[in-house]
Amino acid sequence: MYLRKLTEDRFITVDCYTDGIFQTLKGRVHKLNPIDQILSLKDENHRVFSIPLSGIRDIY
């Protein structure tokens, strides 16, 4: 279910824990690194956020 949402070429919203803080991030998938288990999102201002896959709580 999550991988299907990650492959779509549109903005997604991710609820996640990063550095112990719950955040809601919105952006397009910039890069998915399954070896290091990191998802990179690029927002509308072209900032890149790295999210560990274990910290993701919901994708919509």
Side-chain angles (χ1 to χ4, degrees):
M1 178 175 142
Y2 290 126
L3 291 177
R4 183 177 300 160
K5 294 228 183 223
L6 295 177
T7 59
E8 296 174 357
D9 188 29
R10 61 185 183 103
F11 279 90
I12 60 172
T13 304
V14 178
D15 290 336
C16 62
Y17 284 100
T18 55
D19 298 326
I21 300 170
F22 186 76
Q23 296 181 341
T24 300
L25 302 171
K26 185 174 182 179
R28 293 184 190 265
V29 175
H30 175 65
K31 188 174 172 183
L32 177 62
N33 187 341
I35 295 171
D36 294 332
Q37 297 185 357
I38 294 177
L39 171 69
S40 297
L41 283 182
K42 185 183 275 189
D43 69 357
E44 58 270 353
N45 295 325
H46 301 288
R47 293 181 297 189
V48 177
F49 299 99
S50 296
I51 306 166
L53 294 180
S54 62
I56 295 175
R57 296 296 166 234
D58 197 14
I59 297 176
Y60 46 95

